[in-house]
Amino acid sequence: MSRQGNVTIKDVAKRAKVSVASASRAINGVGRISQETKDRILKAAQELNYVPHFGARSLITKKNNIIGVLLPDLYGEFFSEIVRGIDYAARLGGFNILLSSYHNDENETKTAIAAMRGRVDGMVAMFPFETDDDDLRNTLNAPMVKIANSSSKAKIPLIAIDNADGAKTAIKHLYDCGKRKIAHLSGPKNNLEASDRMRGYREAMDGLELKTNIFEGDFREETGFNYAPAIARLVKDGAIDAIFVGNDTMAIGLINGFKRLGIKIPDDVALIGFDNTPVASYITPGLSSMGVDMATLGKRAVEILKQLINNDDDLQEEAHFTPVLFPRSSSVAKLREEEMTIQENLAF
Amino acid sequence: MSRQGNVTIKDVAKRAKVSVASASRAINGVGRISQETKDRILKAAQELNYVPHFGARSLITKKNNIIGVLLPDLYGEFFSEIVRGIDYAARLGGFNILLSSYHNDENETKTAIAAMRGRVDGMVAMFPFETDDDDLRNTLNAPMVKIANSSSKAKIPLIAIDNADGAKTAIKHLYDCGKRKIAHLSGPKNNLEASDRMRGYREAMDGLELKTNIFEGDFREETGFNYAPAIARLVKDGAIDAIFVGNDTMAIGLINGFKRLGIKIPDDVALIGFDNTPVASYITPGLSSMGVDMATLGKRAVEILKQLINNDDDLQEEAHFTPVLFPRSSSVAKLREEEMTIQENLAF
DNA sequence: AATCGCCATGTAAACGTTTACGCATTAATA
DNA sequence: TATTAATGCGTAAACGTTTACATGGCGATT
């Protein structure tokens, strides 16, 4: 029943007939030690199945080699991809990751941070709401980098997803497809991403000297579906020939609604969503969308954090992530074959 | 630059004018201490923004309050759901989770386990390959529960996904739909899940006294697509009227192939997949599938682990998880409305 | 009034490391 | 050969906790 690592560095030292100091030097590969005693010690450690006690080590070195990760309630691809990137970069730096996910409100979040406090060397966090950065910094007491959207003026190093810029790209794309009467089905009013995307829409339309036309939505599929009849009428009247939808989920609802009503996509009306959800490529017609590479985003966040952990001067870096366009048949009448992946190829 | 928690329990004690022993008692709420000094100490701790050093604590208590989580290279919903369940149960027990994911081969896995060793109180792990349980147990040196498929005879407490049973349910369903000439498009030969599903198919067909008909696949979408013409011919010849496909991905490829060839689903041929991937409900027609509730699975794994951590006798528990049927239009000609979710409703 | 026992608190050891410092031995230099 | 420098290794302190044990005070019991 050899449960918790009862074999200590003393045992190793004893077996190799050296002091604990030498044992430590051999194990960590630092300090002066002859090759042969080093070998002897390592052999002893191996034989005893020795594992250092990280608590004791961190007590003296003040390092945990752990970074905390705090994520909101994310689903599917979104979640797995960002964790993938974080894990990758952390492993490169010899860090383990302490994960706490599925937080929705500020209280849960603070509790989670408190639980990590003192056991992580730093943290990368993503919040679905505005945060009091000074407060956060205080309760964590370690460097932290935030993943957020660009409009938040953070007092913490930030990886900013530029939703407004993404929206502009989307509008530009619809414009390039020949559409001029471009409406927007927005996300919920108090949502930061939603308002950034709306802002981008407005600015882009202004730049093109087109008239804006906004419907207030809430990011839910059902809502998209329910909006279909009203919007379909405007499409038939020729008042709308394209829609920039606040997110893919809602766009999918809208598409399904349009299908029932016999509206032709993209001929009658072109559609583009946001987030590049996996289903965007599976639905018929394929849904054009704006997406950011979440894996790279996570990786980048950790890289900045690692810098922060090493040089403890607070560099106030802000990295920008611009969503890129994934054109599919909901906006482009005929895609050239070679632009499509095998997946998309099959789905069309 | 108040970086690492420099304020210790001694500072708290000093400020509250008590000994460190009393401070410790107040903070942990154990031992005898009067209410008023307790209050005074907690107030001092708050004022100083005190955070206990977990390393020091674990040094003496031999507990970390951390459980390790080791996952293979999973994608999307699969990954996020299982982590969700694990996180939920862990948080309930006051545990943090140390995550290491995206492992593909045995070497990476062992390295990851070694990195966690000594800093976790236990681990839940999932492997995409057969494992040497004694070896694992040795390198971790703490209790561990494995998530695997039921065919593996593990020496470690196991949460077993019963793929064979799921396959039987699938066949039974196709049979209930009136199909008798049921073929199987399998996964890769050396894959454990694939062979369990095939075994379930064989046993179910034997039980129904039907003739088996197996095509060897590899779980990839492209493969499903490429098999379409050959299988379509057999369908037209009346040799096949249903297919149990080893996983959803491949089934989706097959569906898309059939669409091009004008094969009618489910009239000409019924289809059922495995895994209940999200896209299964988005594709047209909706793909029937067998799925397990990954969130519950993860939650359950942690619950067993917690028991193991507390009573350190090795209870050799084996919990079974049986995939359940998600019927959609690829096998059922007309689904009753009330059986569908809003999502599926929209997708049809 | 003397004794007992309980209660709140303090003292100090222990947990497993790392590392500054010192000492002895060996190698390099004059 | 005498001196210095470099090397290998050990001693012991320190990190921040928890907890067994000791101590003193005070109320209750006799």
Side-chain angles (χ1 to χ4, degrees), chain B residues 11 40 45 59 70 82 93 114 123 130 139 142 148 173 176 216 219 258-259 294 296 304 306 331:
Chain B
D11 302 320
R40 185 156 37 96
L59 192 52
L70 192 71
I82 196 169
M123 164 179 278
E130 254 330 339
T139 61
H173 171 66
D176 288 345
E216 187 181 331
F219 280 168
F258 281 167
K259 274 193 202 167
M294 297 306 281
T296 308
I304 293 183
K306 285 195 283 196
S331 61

Side-chain angles (χ1 to χ4, degrees), chain B residues 208-245:
Chain B
L208 295 167
E209 302 193 337
L210 298 177
K211 227 181 74 207
T212 63
N213 189 0
I214 297 178
F215 302 88
E216 187 181 331
D218 60 3
F219 280 168
R220 298 186 318 120
E221 180 168 349
E222 200 180 351
T223 304
F225 187 74
N226 292 335
Y227 255 115
I231 299 184
R233 190 162 325 158
L234 293 169
V235 169
K236 281 179 185 153
D237 292 351
I240 293 178
D241 61 6
I243 307 170
F244 165 51
V245 188

Side-chain angles (χ1 to χ4, degrees), chain A residues 147-176:
Chain A
I147 297 175
N149 53 338
S150 61
S151 75
S152 79
K153 41 197 175 319
K155 299 176 185 168
I156 286 181
L158 184 69
I159 311 273
I161 299 174
D162 201 329
N163 282 286
D165 199 86
K168 288 179 194 169
T169 308
I171 304 306
K172 170 114 184 352
H173 170 66
L174 293 173
Y175 187 91
D176 289 345

Side-chain angles (χ1 to χ4, degrees), chain A residues 118-132:
Chain A
R119 51 177 36 156
V120 300
D121 298 325
M123 165 179 278
V124 3
M126 183 169 176
F127 303 97
F129 41 73
E130 251 334 336
T131 55
D132 177 348

Side-chain angles (χ1 to χ4, degrees), chain B residues 254-255 258-259 263-271 285 329-331:
Chain B
L254 192 56
I255 287 179
F258 281 167
K259 274 193 202 167
I263 301 282
K264 288 204 182 62
I265 303 170
D267 297 332
D268 296 344
V269 65
L271 282 179
S329 8
S330 74
S331 61

Side-chain angles (χ1 to χ4, degrees), chain A residues 171-172 175 179-182 200-213:
Chain A
I171 304 306
K172 170 114 184 352
Y175 187 91
K179 305 295 185 177
R180 294 295 178 269
K181 296 169 180 170
I182 306 171
Y201 164 75
R202 282 215 173 93
E203 293 180 12
M205 294 297 278
D206 283 358
L208 294 167
E209 302 193 337
L210 299 176
K211 226 182 73 209
T212 63
N213 189 0

Side-chain angles (χ1 to χ4, degrees), chain B residues 16-32:
Chain B
K17 301 194 197 308
V18 293
S19 70
V20 289
S22 295
S24 174
R25 282 188 277 257
I27 288 161
N28 295 302
V30 303
R32 292 185 302 222

